[in-house]
Amino acid sequence: MIKLYRYTFAVVDLPRLASNVATIRDALGPDVAVLVAAKANGYGHGAVPVARAVVHGGAEALGLASVEEALEIRRAKSPLSLLVLGAINADGAVAASMADIAVTLSGSPEEIENLPTMPKPLAVHLKLDTGMGRLGLRTAEELIATAKAVVARPDLRLVGVYTHLASADDPDGRHAQGQIARLEHALASLTEAGIQVPIVHASNTAGALYHSDWRYQMVRIGIGAYGYSPNSEWPLQLPLRPVMHLYSVITRVATLDAGETVSYGATFVAPRRMRVATVPIGYADGYFRSLSNSGITAVKGVEVPVVGRVCMDQLMIDVTDVEGVDVGDVVTLFGRYSPSSWDGGNIAKCKEAQRAEWIVQTFCRTDRIGEVSLDRVAKLAGTISYELLCAVSPRVVRFYVPLTPERRFS
Ligand SMILES: *Cc1c(COP(=O)(O)O)cnc(C)c1O
């Protein structure tokens, strides 16, 4: 039973995640494998529940940042193929081989030769840097030399070659097109050198969904699966919906006179007599301090601003213009507006043993009356949806809408 002594929580809609993946899968067609990026705790949603939902959506693989992250998924007995996207050390390669986890390598032939003998065959994807400037071999010649070193070892299996696009979400596609041209040149050189590569992949969400000819044998979908467009100014033409929704519950409502101030630094001065509510969520929960005096939240279906600085564990909102706001009412930080049945302290009144289930059930029964757009909050915070999602800290309890067999999509 999940205990909740502070009413700050996220609802993670796993059937929605599964249907987003299924929607993307349908748009891509049957010939393209789908790897879902589940690094950073599944973009903050919880890596293991994400792994389960993604199977329902019909994906083939998961991408993780480290061997540590991949091992967490393996321990949870996920049937998906796992690929570590980040750089690893020799111990990581050995651990990955034992757990049937594929890895990304982009070292020199000597580095490949010097790897310890693998206890089990290790699946290898080679990475080519075509313009991201982050990881990968730099030229077709380097790629061929390293690929030969991999093929020469009986304990390594060359399964893939890939690159990562830096600006596939830019409507001006020239940079990304240049990257694809470099990849194509390297692939042609590999073929000429007699090296077969079963799986080529290049596209993230943006590459896969904005450019249908950059899909190769597999795509790596992150943000789209979680319901957001890679570029908030360039909406995806697919019915993808947010998976995570963030809420907290008002702990105090006070009436301030004109001239009184709110929070650290006294940066907010009440321009009139006003009602200010305190909400127990702060930057240590992942609600950015840069949203001080600028964030937008919703109470009783009405959007209200954050006033004063966001503190570590709390923030204040202006509820002057919302009728009847009181302690126990629910605040939406991002995502679907909270159900009205949650207001009036009903979450607190609910029996502890039934609370989690009641929250999830009432969430599912609520019509989509509106939402606080995460893209909008991210813009106000000077960042992108990605960063706000993976910032939601472990202190925030996640309630999961369960996957049911009837909602299987694959
Ligand atoms: C995170 C990641 C992705 C997914 O990117 P999105 O923009 O979220 O779709 C794809 N490829 C690599 C290498 C990544 O690290």
Side-chain angles (χ1 to χ4, degrees):
M1 184 177 80
I2 299 173
K3 305 215 176 208
L4 202 63
Y5 302 136
R6 176 186 75 136
Y7 303 113
T8 294
F9 61 93
V11 175
V12 178
D13 191 343
L14 296 179
R16 172 54 62 191
L17 175 56
S19 82
N20 285 344
V21 172
T23 298
I24 292 168
R25 160 134 287 324
D26 287 348
L28 296 171
D31 300 332
V32 182
V34 174
L35 171 148
V36 172
K39 62 206 186 202
N41 196 28
Y43 283 40
H45 294 65
V48 171
V50 162
R52 275 192 283 117
V54 156
V55 174
H56 282 231
E60 281 80 11
L62 284 184
L64 293 315
S66 64
V67 176
E68 288 86 337
E69 286 186 351
L71 285 171
E72 186 194 355
I73 306 291
R74 259 298 163 267
R75 280 187 214 109
K77 305 263 182 288
S78 173
L80 296 165
S81 301
L82 305 181
L83 170 62
V84 175
L85 302 164
I88 56 161
N89 61 20
D91 291 341
V94 171
S97 91
M98 285 196 290
D100 189 24
I101 294 165
V103 300
T104 299
L105 296 180
S106 52
S108 65
E110 295 70 41
E111 286 171 280
I112 303 296
E113 283 152 21
N114 290 337
L115 282 172
T117 303
M118 298 300 149
K120 291 185 183 170
L122 175 66
V124 172
H125 291 239
L126 292 178
K127 188 152 193 196
L128 182 70
D129 178 10
T130 56
M132 176 70 181
R134 188 171 70 177
L135 272 188
L137 295 149
R138 302 278 300 140
T139 63
E141 293 67 38
E142 281 183 23
L143 179 65
I144 290 167
T146 295
K148 284 183 172 161
V150 169
V151 172
R153 285 187 57 148
D155 55 344
L156 302 183
R157 267 192 309 127
L158 179 59
V159 251
V161 166
Y162 75 102
T163 195
H164 190 44
L165 302 173
S167 40
D169 64 331
D170 187 344
D172 174 354
R174 277 175 296 185
H175 187 268
Q177 267 149 14
Q179 287 198 257
I180 294 289
R182 284 175 73 169
L183 174 66
E184 286 289 341
H185 166 73
L187 293 174
S189 310
L190 273 181
T191 308
E192 248 170 66
I195 296 164
Q196 310 292 328
V197 183
I199 305 174
V200 174
H201 46 118
S203 283
N204 47 14
T205 300
L209 298 179
Y210 296 132
H211 303 276
S212 57
D213 44 347
W214 297 351
R215 290 170 181 166
Y216 298 96
Q217 284 76 46
M218 185 169 87
V219 295
R220 306 184 305 270
I221 302 292
I223 200 70
Y226 303 102
Y228 295 93
S229 193
N231 176 345
S232 60
E233 314 280 301
W234 191 8
L236 291 170
Q237 302 304 314
L238 285 178
L240 306 175
R241 302 267 177 271
V243 173
M244 180 152 54
H245 310 263
L246 184 63
Y247 304 103
S248 189
V249 172
I250 293 170
T251 52
R252 189 189 87 156
V253 180
T255 302
L256 268 57
D257 285 325
E260 288 196 278
T261 65
V262 176
S263 195
Y264 290 117
T267 59
F268 182 83
V269 183
R272 54 176 171 152
R273 199 175 151 82
M274 59 191 294
R275 305 257 295 158
V276 171
T278 303
V279 191
I281 186 166
Y283 59 77
D285 299 291
Y287 197 85
F288 282 25
R289 189 169 176 275
S290 53
L291 291 163
S292 298
N293 285 311
S294 76
I296 294 291
T297 70
V299 181
K300 293 182 183 290
V302 181
E303 295 204 340
V304 297
V306 171
V307 290
R309 289 210 181 124
V310 174
C311 308
M312 188 180 290
D313 317 305
Q314 303 175 75
L315 57 81
M316 275 62 78
I317 55 178
D318 173 9
V319 294
T320 312
D321 296 330
V322 191
E323 201 69 34
V325 172
D326 211 341
V327 170
D329 288 343
V330 178
V331 178
T332 305
L333 286 310
F334 65 74
R336 197 191 296 181
Y337 288 170
S338 59
S340 55
S341 60
W342 289 0
D343 289 332
N346 283 337
I347 290 181
K349 283 174 209 154
C350 185
K351 279 214 187 82
E352 192 175 28
Q354 280 131 39
R355 193 172 286 139
E357 209 174 324
W358 181 79
I359 286 173
V360 166
Q361 280 173 359
T362 45
F363 173 89
C364 290
R365 263 189 253 122
T366 305
D367 289 326
R368 287 170 38 83
I369 47 174
E371 66 167 44
V372 177
S373 151
L374 176 64
D375 280 324
R376 182 166 162 220
V377 175
K379 198 172 220 179
L380 292 168
T383 183
I384 52 176
S385 57
Y386 298 71
E387 193 182 12
L388 284 181
L389 289 174
C390 55
V392 175
S393 79
R395 196 165 82 171
V396 176
V397 173
R398 275 100 167 137
F399 291 118
Y400 290 96
V401 180
L403 290 157
T404 54
E406 309 85 73
R407 289 177 109 159
R408 210 170 238 290
F409 289 90
S410 55

